[in-house]
Amino acid sequence: MEIVLSIMKNAGYKENADIPENAEVIFINTCAIRDNAEQKVWQRLNYFWFLKREWKNNVAIGRSQSLRPPKVVVLGCMAERLKDKILDSDKMVDVVCGPDAYRDLPRLLDDVDEGQKGINTLLSLEETYADISPVRISKNSISAFVSIMRGCNNMCSFCIVPFTRGRERSRPVESIVREVAELEKEGVKEVTLLGQNVNSYNDASELEEVQPGTNWKHSEGFSSISKVKKMGLRFADLMDRLSKEFPEMRFRFTSPHPKDFPDELLYIMRDRHNVCKYIHLPAQSGNSRVLERMRRGYTREAYLELVEKIRSIVPDMGFSSDFICGFCGETEEEHKDTLSLVRTVVYDMAYMFAYSMREKTHAHRNYIDDVPDEVKQRRLTELIEAFRESTGQCFNAQVGTIQLVLVEGPNRRAPDTELTGKTDRGHRVSFVNKPVPHRNADVSEERNPIVGDYVEVEITKSTRATLFGEALAVTKLSTFHDYVEEKEAVACLA
């Protein structure tokens, strides 16, 4: 949405309306990955259609301040997938704009003023919006998202993304560095790099084609049906550049594919204090036969070997994952393999869903959605329980350690006395807001931590979802890691 806001602002539109009733243009950004997400969109469209129909009455009673009925614009994946159905939906929607056509929004809105329907859902092989400076929705936020690539080439059999987001293309490194530099000036302390397959990043815009080296090798035991036509700077190159140029900025990334974790990337994650020790590693299933039907390009054994390799290089790495229950043809034994994978890996977080077949996918063309809904839901319940049983180990292991917490704000349950923030691994930590010293030698007085501070916190207690601790000192990202390394060195000498 930040890209869309920038385009609209440059076209002369004013700032955001505070409520939908006051808006003259209503954007609804959509996702088509799961049926449940699409159903929620239709519910919202019904409400916005009501606002259009009742605009005159709302103005008369003072509920609406807009000068004309709102135009409703559907953006994103659902726009591309269901464009005809959306436009035929009883005048609910005025504009349908796919994810690669946002630059065309001002023209499409003008078409509506002339009595036409506005539609552009063409997918691009080149569009990355690299030259557009996003308009931040939350001006005072200490964290931000930066899109580095778009599209996906993996063609997993269950996934609609390649058909709604198009082929992979990456922003130039320099444009990403410029955006992160602007965010640093605005006070942002943590950036999450985004992409449908973020670690397949490949910037070939300003280079002669590079020779394939270890940086271009897939994780051992992994394969891909897609072939790269031109090789450029990889995700490890981008992380290397960003982590060096912005030492006081934390970096996360999502969502990666397990096949794209070369050793170079893992060593950067180990050696750079500002690259978070946390990987989202989507498994989808714990059974090799199901993974083959899903066209994931790896086996259960290869996935577990990758987890073991990552932990051998970065012992304190945290993991999250995605899982699908009840994929086409999944048996009880295959489901049990997924439960055992969850218990074996021990994830910090997991996103678990019952399978919903999507049109246009390989599964839709070739498989039968033959697992009954009640079986899917039962298996999903079992998977969630298996995750909850194991994830407590991740949180309990943090008790007694000192963690660096980026303060995000007051604890909602105790806003007057406690602060909350996240650790390097993304664990939420709550602690009492009290005056503490500052590790900076130039600051002698104690003070209370504030939003945006990095705080050393000793973890004293854990639950399945939250850590609790005692604040020790305000510090800097680089200072904390120098301090920890120094303490570890003294301990070894002793």
Side-chain angles (χ1 to χ4, degrees), residues 154-159 225 257 282-298 322-328 330 338 353-355 361-363 367:
N154 289 324
M155 303 301 290
C156 299
S157 64
F158 56 82
C159 188
I225 63 174
H257 190 286
Q284 306 300 354
S285 174
N287 178 271
S288 296
R289 293 185 299 275
V290 175
L291 290 169
E292 184 177 6
R293 292 198 297 274
M294 288 180 167
R295 303 210 299 184
R296 291 291 288 171
Y298 55 87
D322 296 336
F323 290 97
I324 295 173
C325 291
F327 184 68
C328 306
E330 184 188 63
T338 300
F353 304 93
Y355 175 64
T361 61
H362 177 84
Y367 302 149

Side-chain angles (χ1 to χ4, degrees), residues 329-363:
E330 184 188 63
T331 66
E332 288 297 329
E333 290 302 315
E334 290 168 343
H335 166 63
K336 289 178 182 178
D337 282 346
T338 300
L339 299 181
S340 71
L341 182 78
V342 168
R343 296 185 179 111
T344 299
V345 175
V346 185
Y347 295 98
D348 294 37
M349 175 60 69
Y351 302 91
M352 298 160 281
F353 304 93
Y355 175 64
S356 60
M357 183 172 276
R358 317 307 290 140
E359 294 179 6
K360 296 185 179 180
T361 61
H362 177 84

Side-chain angles (χ1 to χ4, degrees), residues 105-282:
L105 276 168
R107 182 191 67 80
L108 296 174
L109 289 165
D110 288 343
D111 287 348
V112 174
D113 289 336
E114 296 174 4
Q116 305 176 45
K117 288 283 187 179
I119 180 169
N120 186 344
T121 58
L122 293 176
L123 294 176
S124 169
L125 293 174
E126 299 167 350
E127 181 62 84
T128 63
Y129 302 107
D131 59 322
I132 295 177
S133 298
V135 173
R136 301 293 165 188
I137 297 173
S138 180
K139 296 289 185 181
N140 299 319
S141 177
I142 58 166
S143 60
F145 296 96
V146 173
S147 178
I148 67 167
M149 59 85 66
R150 302 173 72 84
C152 181
N153 294 348
N154 289 324
M155 303 301 290
C156 299
S157 64
F158 56 82
C159 188
I160 193 69
V161 168
F163 304 99
T164 59
R165 294 284 180 175
R167 304 283 287 179
E168 290 175 7
R169 60 270 190 209
S170 300
R171 287 177 59 183
V173 167
E174 293 302 328
S175 75
I176 298 168
V177 171
R178 284 196 300 271
E179 185 172 345
V180 173
E182 288 299 317
L183 292 172
E184 185 179 51
K185 292 177 183 177
E186 295 172 10
V188 170
K189 298 293 184 68
E190 181 178 280
V191 163
T192 301
L193 305 177
L194 296 179
Q196 273 80 34
N197 189 22
V198 68
N199 57 337
S200 70
Y201 178 85
N202 173 25
D203 173 22
S205 62
E206 298 180 10
L207 289 175
E208 294 294 329
E209 185 169 357
V210 301
Q211 292 299 315
T214 57
N215 204 11
W216 272 95
K217 287 184 178 179
H218 291 316
S219 308
E220 191 169 346
F222 290 71
S223 63
S224 173
I225 63 174
S226 175
K227 304 299 180 184
V228 178
K229 293 182 178 180
K230 187 176 182 182
M231 298 179 181
L233 295 174
R234 293 288 279 151
F235 188 61
D237 300 313
L238 175 64
M239 293 302 295
D240 179 51
R241 173 85 180 270
L242 291 174
S243 60
K244 284 180 178 177
E245 292 199 20
F246 306 99
E248 300 302 328
M249 181 88 76
R250 249 185 193 171
F251 291 99
R252 303 184 187 275
F253 57 90
T254 198
S255 178
H257 190 286
K259 69 179 173 61
D260 291 313
F261 278 99
D263 290 356
E264 286 85 347
L265 177 57
L266 298 177
Y267 289 129
I268 287 172
M269 297 187 74
R270 180 194 67 183
D271 297 336
R272 303 293 164 79
H273 65 265
N274 55 342
V275 179
C276 291
K277 310 301 183 285
Y278 181 81
I279 289 176
H280 184 64
L281 201 67

